[in-house]
Amino acid sequence: MPNFSKSNTVTPDPLRMANIELAFQNEDRRKRAAELDIANEELAYQNEEKEKRAAELIIANKELAFQNAEKEKRALELVIANRELIFQNEEKEKRAAELIIANRELIFQNEEKEKLAAELIIANKELLFQNEEKEKRAVELIVAYQKLVYQNEEREKRAAELVIANKELLFQNQEKEKMAAALVLAEAERTKMVADIVQRNKDLEQFSYIISHNLRAPVANISGVTQLLQMPGIDRYDEKNFMQDLSLSVKKLDDVIMDLNYILQLKNSEDKKREQVKFSELLNDITLSLSDLITSNDVEIISDFSIIDEIPTLKTYLYSIFLNLITNSVKYRRQDATPVIEITSQMLRDKIQLNFKDNGLGIDLGTRGDQVFGLYKRFHNHVEGKGMGLFMVKTQVESMGGKISIMSEVNKGTEFKIEFELN
Amino acid sequence: MEQELLPDFLVIDDDPINNMICNRMIQLSLAVSSVQTFTDPGEGLAHIQVKYAAGKAKKTILFLDINMPSMTGWEVLDKFSGFASEVQDKVKIFMLSSSVDPHDIERASSNTLVAGYITKSLSQAKLHSTFSDYVRN
């Protein structure tokens, strides 16, 4: 563009110059706008193209998403189908294993059958052989039978002879049995005699003890007192006392001798006559004769003979037994309790048992229990007594073939059980 | 004989006549007044225990019967064996029994607590020999 501003010296028309300039500038701008219009159109076209592509992509995307979902479904179906196949395979394997076992069993059974068949063949052969042997034996047996027939005839002859010999033996045996029975009786007799002798020996031992203790005691006293009587220095008072003691001792000596005599007679009275005795009547008689003792001590006697009330016995002995046991229970009563005596009878198979039970002082059987029934043995010294009662009871019970036992507890009471055999 | 040298005497026997004989025989023979007698062995034992618990009691000779109802002489010896040794040292026991049974004599001689065995009745001669036995021991 020509530079007009610097040519001040030239004086062109300025307005035309500016118009030309403006026209030029307008022309330029018009060209530029046209160019922009073209560029704009181009851009609009490009935008439309891009939108079309974008729409196409959205559609393509949706298509892909749909395809993916389809694929997942198929995959799931395949997993399920796979599991089914695995299960079916396992089932088939099991069946196969079972078939293998079944096969083995069949094979084993076949083998067994083959063995059996082989054994049967052998057994058959054996049977055949045995049949042949039996036929041979049958022939032999016929021969043997003929022999036996002959021998039997011989034996019958011998048997007839033996019958006669047997009768002879039988007679001899009967004689021997009679002898044996007699021997058994004699043996029983002997055993009883030995037992009697043993008992008598014991009695004798007891008697020798009694003589050394109880018979000697008053004799020793007599001897002691007579020595005192002869001593210097005694006075009239002494003399009087000594004489009293002397006479007491003599009386005591006589008592012991009388006791011994009585006991010896008891032992010799085994063949006394027995009679039927009722316990209830016997007890009545005794309570009557002891009525003073019973009432003054407030004694209660309870009796029950309902099971058995009557036995054949020696009445005097049984009376003495009842009397001794009842008086003992009263004598050795407890001061702090009303004396109660229970007397009962009962049956034990072929025996009758009498029970005497009290609630008295009792006896300590632990230390001297074996002496309870001993003569002149005493366990309490607060009451008068000779120590003869229980000895008498035992002697009488035993002389009638009975037995007596005692159970006792100190301060509780005492129980006697007496057994007699019934025959 | 010197009074101080003489022991005390105890008799345990259920028979009062024997006790009386012992009492008078000892008094008349030895001029001793201290003779105590017991018919109940339990009481006799209790007396010994009480007497020697005091400590100043004299030596004592005990005549002990065997055959007694509440307690035999052997049982008395059993109980006595449980007493303190001071008591056992002071009391010399002589069995005094009417028994001439060899079993009793044997049993007494085998018991170390028993100093001797005397068969009844106690006489002057027996008393003197007992006493000399006692002095010797």
Side-chain angles (χ1 to χ4, degrees):
Chain A
M1 195 182 308
N3 198 338
F4 294 114
S5 57
K6 281 178 180 177
S7 36
N8 281 345
T9 54
V10 175
T11 40
D13 190 353
L15 262 175
R16 210 192 55 121
M17 279 301 284
N19 263 345
I20 294 164
E21 182 71 32
L22 268 172
F24 182 76
Q25 278 178 10
N26 270 347
E27 182 68 16
D28 204 41
R29 269 176 201 153
R30 201 192 43 85
K31 278 181 195 171
R32 293 262 307 150
E35 277 168 22
L36 279 170
D37 277 350
I38 291 162
N40 259 351
E41 273 168 22
E42 182 67 13
L43 272 171
Y45 173 78
Q46 279 175 9
N47 271 346
E48 273 170 28
E49 283 301 303
K50 274 173 194 165
E51 270 166 25
K52 275 181 203 165
R53 285 286 294 158
E56 281 166 20
L57 281 171
I58 287 165
I59 290 164
N61 253 351
K62 279 181 187 164
E63 179 65 16
L64 275 172
F66 173 76
Q67 282 174 8
N68 270 346
E70 285 302 300
K71 275 173 194 164
E72 269 168 24
K73 276 185 205 163
R74 282 288 294 157
L76 266 175
E77 282 165 19
L78 281 171
V79 168
I80 293 164
N82 248 352
R83 281 186 196 152
E84 178 66 15
L85 274 171
I86 289 166
F87 173 74
Q88 283 174 9
N89 269 346
E90 281 171 0
E91 285 301 300
K92 275 173 194 163
E93 270 167 25
K94 277 185 204 163
R95 280 288 295 158
E98 283 167 17
L99 280 170
I100 287 165
I101 293 165
N103 248 350
R104 279 186 197 151
E105 178 66 13
L106 275 170
I107 289 164
F108 174 74
Q109 283 176 8
N110 270 344
E111 282 170 1
E112 286 300 300
K113 276 173 192 164
E114 271 165 25
K115 276 185 206 161
L116 255 164
E119 280 167 13
L120 278 170
I121 289 163
I122 293 165
N124 257 346
K125 281 183 190 160
E126 178 69 11
L127 275 170
L128 260 171
F129 173 74
Q130 282 177 8
N131 271 344
E132 281 165 15
E133 286 299 300
K134 274 175 191 162
E135 270 165 27
K136 282 183 202 160
R137 286 282 296 151
V139 173
E140 285 166 16
L141 279 172
I142 290 165
V143 176
Y145 177 73
Q146 282 164 352
K147 257 188 201 167
L148 273 173
V149 169
Y150 170 74
Q151 282 174 6
N152 269 347
E153 282 165 11
E154 286 300 303
R155 276 182 195 146
E156 268 165 30
K157 281 182 204 160
R158 287 278 297 151
E161 286 164 16
L162 281 170
V163 168
I164 294 164
N166 257 350
K167 279 182 190 162
E168 178 64 17
L169 275 172
L170 200 68
F171 173 75
Q172 283 175 10
N173 270 346
Q174 281 168 350
E175 287 300 302
K176 276 176 192 162
E177 270 166 26
K178 278 182 203 161
M179 293 268 287
L183 274 172
V184 168
L185 272 177
E187 179 61 26
E189 186 70 16
R190 198 185 70 89
T191 308
K192 191 177 176 303
M193 276 168 73
V194 168
D196 279 356
I197 287 166
V198 168
Q199 185 57 45
R200 265 161 218 269
N201 270 341
K202 276 188 193 161
D203 291 349
L204 274 173
E205 266 174 41
Q206 198 177 21
F207 263 81
S208 92
Y209 187 82
I210 286 159
I211 285 164
S212 81
H213 283 82
N214 305 84
L215 202 58
R216 256 215 98 236
V219 174
N221 280 349
I222 290 164
S223 138
V225 175
T226 46
Q227 280 186 58
L228 282 175
L229 273 168
Q230 291 162 36
M231 281 182 85
I234 60 164
D235 53 26
R236 281 192 162 212
Y237 177 73
D238 273 336
E239 252 175 53
K240 195 182 161 217
N241 281 337
F242 293 162
M243 290 314 288
Q244 266 176 12
D245 288 340
L246 201 56
S247 103
L248 264 175
S249 298
V250 170
K251 164 110 182 37
K252 187 91 177 282
L253 181 61
D254 192 37
D255 285 349
V256 175
I257 289 166
M258 295 298 274
D259 289 346
L260 292 181
N261 188 46
Y262 180 63
I263 292 158
L264 283 170
Q265 278 184 351
L266 258 189
K267 287 179 184 281
N268 290 332
S269 54
E270 279 170 24
D271 42 34
K272 271 188 182 170
K273 194 172 162 282
R274 295 194 176 208
E275 58 187 305
Q276 287 293 328
V277 177
K278 277 194 168 170
F279 301 136
S280 51
E281 285 174 8
L282 195 72
L283 184 60
N284 270 343
D285 291 351
I286 289 167
T287 45
L288 215 66
S289 72
L290 293 176
S291 61
D292 282 352
L293 185 75
I294 287 167
T295 49
S296 66
N297 290 298
D298 204 13
V299 181
E300 188 185 349
I301 296 180
I302 303 165
S303 65
D304 182 358
F305 304 119
S306 55
I307 294 169
I308 182 164
D309 189 25
E310 198 174 27
I311 55 164
T313 188
L314 295 177
K315 191 175 181 179
T316 50
Y317 283 15
L318 201 62
Y319 185 93
S320 157
I321 291 164
F322 270 65
L323 186 76
N324 267 309
L325 292 179
I326 293 168
T327 47
N328 261 8
S329 287
V330 179
K331 270 164 88 175
Y332 305 111
R333 68 190 176 277
R334 263 187 299 150
Q335 294 303 320
D336 58 344
T338 308
V340 179
I341 307 169
E342 287 172 58
I343 307 168
T344 55
S345 63
Q346 64 183 109
M347 292 296 299
L348 304 172
R349 289 186 186 183
D350 51 347
K351 284 175 187 164
I352 176 201
Q353 190 181 65
L354 277 167
N355 298 317
F356 290 79
K357 188 179 176 187
D358 69 32
N359 61 342
L361 288 170
I363 301 170
D364 180 8
L365 297 171
T367 50
R368 290 195 286 151
D370 54 330
Q371 298 182 2
V372 168
F373 296 106
L375 180 55
Y376 296 128
K377 296 294 177 192
R378 304 204 59 229
F379 288 79
H380 300 280
N381 58 356
H382 68 286
V383 190
E384 278 298 302
K386 286 204 291 188
M388 231 176 119
L390 289 183
F391 172 79
M392 293 289 296
V393 169
K394 187 177 163 73
T395 307
Q396 285 164 332
V397 167
E398 285 176 354
S399 78
M400 292 191 288
K403 278 180 189 165
I404 183 165
S405 62
I406 178 174
M407 287 183 293
S408 188
E409 207 177 324
V410 174
N411 285 325
K412 288 272 171 65
T414 305
E415 183 172 6
F416 291 95
K417 288 185 191 295
I418 299 172
E419 280 177 17
F420 290 114
E421 287 194 26
L422 281 180
N423 38 22
Chain B
M1 216 167 284
E2 297 285 332
Q3 277 292 316
E4 288 83 53
L5 285 176
L6 285 171
D8 285 348
F9 286 90
L10 274 178
V11 185
I12 298 179
D13 190 339
D14 64 308
D15 176 5
I17 295 178
N18 173 69
N19 289 353
M20 185 282 297
I21 293 167
C22 289
N23 192 16
R24 292 303 282 140
M25 190 63 79
I26 294 162
Q27 286 172 338
L28 291 168
S29 308
L30 300 170
V32 174
S33 56
S34 180
V35 181
Q36 266 184 298
T37 62
F38 296 91
T39 50
D40 182 342
E43 281 173 23
L45 280 169
H47 169 80
I48 291 171
Q49 256 186 326
V50 170
K51 187 177 173 188
Y52 290 97
K56 56 180 179 180
K58 286 173 78 175
K59 290 207 167 191
T60 300
I61 288 178
L62 165 61
F63 291 119
L64 177 61
D65 185 29
I66 294 171
N67 209 14
M68 293 180 285
S70 63
M71 197 189 292
T72 66
W74 310 121
E75 288 171 299
V76 172
L77 287 172
D78 272 353
K79 294 239 159 75
F80 183 78
S81 70
F83 286 7
S85 57
E86 305 92 78
V87 180
Q88 291 187 17
D89 289 343
K90 291 243 173 161
V91 182
K92 290 286 157 234
I93 301 173
F94 291 83
M95 303 311 279
L96 176 65
S97 171
S98 58
S99 170
V100 286
D101 190 326
H103 292 110
D104 287 332
I105 297 164
E106 172 57 33
R107 194 169 169 186
S109 71
S110 65
N111 190 319
T112 51
L113 292 169
V114 177
Y117 187 99
I118 306 161
T119 46
K120 286 178 187 173
S121 64
L122 188 66
S123 64
Q124 231 172 334
K126 286 172 187 169
L127 189 58
H128 282 298
S129 89
T130 302
F131 191 66
S132 56
D133 273 358
Y134 163 77
V135 172
R136 222 177 293 129
N137 291 316

